[in-house]
Amino acid sequence: MELLIVEDDDAMASALAAAVATAGHHPTRVARGADALLVHRKFEVILLDLGLPDMDGLEVLRKLRQVTPVPILILTARDDERSVVLGLRSGADDYLVKPVKLVELLARIEAVTRRAGRNSALRQQSVVLGELEIDLERRVAALRSEVLPLTATEFDLLALLASHAGSVVTREQILDALWGDAFVASSRSLDVHLTGLRAKLQLPGFIINVRGVGYRVEAGQA
């Protein structure tokens, strides 16, 4: 697996990289939280230290959890109960205290990825909402059997919202999925593509704006 190590200590990062490599994983190390937010999409597992030079690891965790479901394991020297509880409540899949035994680290990685694998096996290949059909593999959307002339970005936006029909998708999740960076990308770009998508769908009330949060597709409106 492609594994991201977010660790500012060079010696610790090298030891972790060597350890996970022995199990056949492919580690990449970054030293700052901002770097982790930029490159996280390339990885299947993230090992996250809490003591980073540019921002607190819990802040990095919370931002990552806004945009990605990949397994995140906190690996830190903070062993107080409050930090453990905060880490797990903020979305970490596991919490390990340094120094950690190699066998335990690999076992924890295996456990969280096994759970993630079961979830990925359930991923959809198509979405049908009333008279709207979205073929996720062929990247074709049709309304009442008429193929919609969507741009690549409009299709990605529709597929993302429709795949979460009935639930709110945050602006951060959309910006990260479509442009690769939820915290730098322009919200104006999203607004333009959303306007274009709505115009082509011609389904009033289908994409609902949840003020200050994001958007929700109403399954019964298609």
Side-chain angles (χ1 to χ4, degrees):
M1 290 183 300
E2 296 297 328
L3 190 147
L4 178 63
I5 298 170
V6 189
E7 170 64 65
D8 67 325
D9 184 276
D10 292 340
M12 176 60 69
S14 296
L16 288 172
V20 298
T22 63
H25 303 307
H26 305 285
T28 298
R29 179 263 182 126
V30 296
R32 305 186 321 134
D35 295 330
L37 295 175
L38 286 173
V39 303
H40 72 87
R41 290 166 303 283
K42 304 174 184 177
F43 300 94
E44 299 163 85
V45 181
I46 299 173
L47 298 183
L48 175 64
D49 183 26
L50 295 184
L52 300 172
D54 59 332
M55 65 178 73
D56 187 83
L58 288 174
E59 180 183 355
V60 177
L61 172 63
R62 284 189 285 267
K63 287 187 173 183
L64 285 172
R65 270 296 168 252
Q66 291 180 47
V67 296
T68 180
V70 301
I72 301 175
L73 293 84
I74 290 176
L75 190 56
T76 180
R78 298 183 194 175
D79 60 355
D80 59 287
E81 184 178 356
R82 180 175 180 274
S83 293
V84 175
V85 171
L86 275 175
L88 294 175
R89 285 183 175 174
S90 297
D93 293 274
D94 210 337
Y95 193 109
L96 295 88
V97 177
K98 300 174 185 175
V100 63
K101 295 179 180 178
L102 169 60
V103 174
E104 181 183 2
L105 172 62
L106 295 178
R108 298 287 188 95
I109 292 173
E110 181 181 343
V112 297
T113 53
R114 188 165 55 243
R115 292 197 297 268
R118 285 198 294 268
N119 292 335
S120 66
L122 301 175
R123 286 176 187 161
Q124 300 165 288
Q125 293 183 333
S126 64
V127 179
V128 178
L129 299 175
E131 295 182 295
L132 176 65
E133 299 182 31
I134 305 168
D135 188 323
L136 300 177
E137 291 199 339
R138 293 176 54 233
R139 294 181 59 80
V140 173
L143 181 62
R144 304 181 191 95
S145 299
E146 291 288 331
V147 174
L148 297 169
L150 303 180
T151 66
T153 301
E154 288 168 351
F155 178 86
D156 289 338
L157 177 56
L158 175 61
L160 178 62
L161 293 173
S163 296
H164 296 82
S167 301
V168 176
V169 182
T170 68
R171 291 182 70 89
E172 289 82 7
Q173 287 174 312
I174 296 170
L175 291 170
D176 186 79
L178 271 60
W179 287 280
D181 191 344
F183 308 102
V184 175
S186 169
S187 293
R188 178 59 183 158
S189 296
L190 170 57
D191 295 334
V192 170
H193 288 287
L194 187 62
T195 298
L197 175 59
R198 281 173 163 155
K200 292 175 182 178
L201 285 171
Q202 290 293 302
L203 292 172
F206 179 63
I207 300 176
I208 303 298
N209 181 14
V210 182
R211 185 176 296 277
V213 182
Y215 301 91
R216 183 182 72 248
V217 154
E218 291 293 345
Q221 297 296 318

